[in-house]
Amino acid sequence: QTQWEAPSTAPPPPPAAAPPPAPPPAAGPPLPPGWEEKRDPTGKVYYVNHQTQTTQWERPSAPPPPAYNALPPGWEEKRDPTGKVYYVNHQTQRTQWERPI
C-alpha cells in the first residue's frame, strides 16, 4: 500500500545537558583550621566552621601565627625616626640596639 505522508515518528529527545562545571575555588590564603569552603545551589561561595557548626558568606582569615622568638617579659620593640629597630626594657627603663634574649 502506498503512503503519501511520511510516517510520523517523534524526533529523538535532545541529549541530556550536562550540569555546568563547578566554578574554581575562591582564591585567597589558606582557610583557618576547621573551616571549609562550599557553594550554595546558585554557585555562591560560603564558609562552614565545623568546630562551631556555623556558616558565613565572608571568607574567614587565619589567626596570626604564634609569636616567633617573642621578646622577654617587659621588653618592647620600637623604631627610631630613621626606621632602625631598638628595644626598650620597661622594667629598667633602658634601651638597646641588640635584640634581648
Side-chain angles (χ1 to χ4, degrees):
Q1 176 176 19
T2 307
Q3 275 188 320
W4 296 99
E5 294 180 24
S8 63
T9 59
L31 293 170
W35 285 89
E36 179 184 3
E37 180 179 298
K38 291 192 153 209
R39 295 188 181 271
D40 72 5
T42 68
K44 185 174 178 183
V45 173
Y46 68 97
Y47 301 91
V48 178
N49 182 329
H50 292 287
Q51 295 171 342
T52 62
Q53 298 181 359
T54 58
T55 60
Q56 65 185 47
W57 295 111
E58 300 80 25
R59 183 180 185 88
S61 59
Y68 174 73
N69 204 7
L71 292 171
W75 285 90
E76 179 183 5
E77 181 178 294
K78 291 197 165 204
R79 293 186 182 269
D80 73 4
T82 66
K84 186 173 179 184
V85 173
Y86 68 98
Y87 300 91
V88 178
N89 183 324
H90 292 288
Q91 294 169 346
T92 64
Q93 298 182 353
R94 295 189 180 253
T95 62
Q96 66 185 48
W97 295 110
E98 300 82 25
R99 183 178 181 87
I101 301 174

